Amino acid sequence: LWTLVGCLVISVGAAIVLQESKATKKAKVEITRVWEKQIADFLRRRAAESRELTDFDGQPILQSAFIDNSAKPSCVNSRGEVVDYWKTPIQIRIVAQTNFIIRAAGPNRKFGDDDDIVFDSVSDGFAKP
């Protein structure tokens, strides 16, 4: 009987920890999405001012934009790169004069798989990789 009770307690405890883990992961993904939306807003403003993003030189401009706008300093690493919640540098690809894709590697810190967080300016939303 004590073995059964012990297994029950361990199972319930594991379920609680797992749920907290899922909730924490989801919150971190949402924070990264907010940061990507801020980057997208910045890029749109820059495109509207210059009518193109072909002269965009990436991370240094983003770093200054985030610091000027008092964004959380944790979204910029010591090298000045804008990073996702897991401290992986965010990739920005300019695909046309005013269109872009912003990609964060996500929880596993590897690009090109299902947990990437991808914002596409053409659809103005998040897409599956």
Side-chain angles (χ1 to χ4, degrees), residues 49-91:
E49 291 168 2
S50 66
R51 296 192 187 117
E52 64 182 358
L53 293 171
T54 55
D55 65 340
F56 177 71
D57 62 358
Q59 296 288 357
I61 290 175
L62 286 175
Q63 179 203 20
S64 66
F66 269 78
I67 290 171
D68 291 346
N69 292 324
S70 302
K72 286 185 83 171
S74 60
C75 66
V76 178
N77 68 15
S78 62
R79 290 180 287 201
E81 299 168 312
V82 177
V83 296
D84 64 16
Y85 198 92
W86 300 271
K87 307 299 181 203
T88 306
I90 290 175
Q91 295 178 343

Side-chain angles (χ1 to χ4, degrees), residues 3-37:
T3 303
L4 185 59
V5 170
C7 288
L8 180 62
V9 168
I10 290 172
S11 296
V12 169
I16 290 170
V17 168
L18 184 59
Q19 282 291 46
E20 289 175 350
S21 173
K22 286 181 182 178
T24 301
K25 178 181 171 184
K26 185 174 182 176
K28 291 176 180 180
V29 167
E30 289 305 314
I31 289 169
T32 299
R33 284 177 174 234
V34 167
W35 289 346
E36 284 190 11
K37 284 289 260 182

Side-chain angles (χ1 to χ4, degrees), residues 85-105:
Y85 198 92
W86 300 271
K87 307 299 181 203
T88 306
I90 290 175
Q91 295 178 343
I92 299 169
R93 186 167 59 106
I94 307 303
V95 294
Q97 286 184 331
T98 58
N99 297 330
F100 51 87
I101 295 174
I102 304 168
R103 181 184 298 265

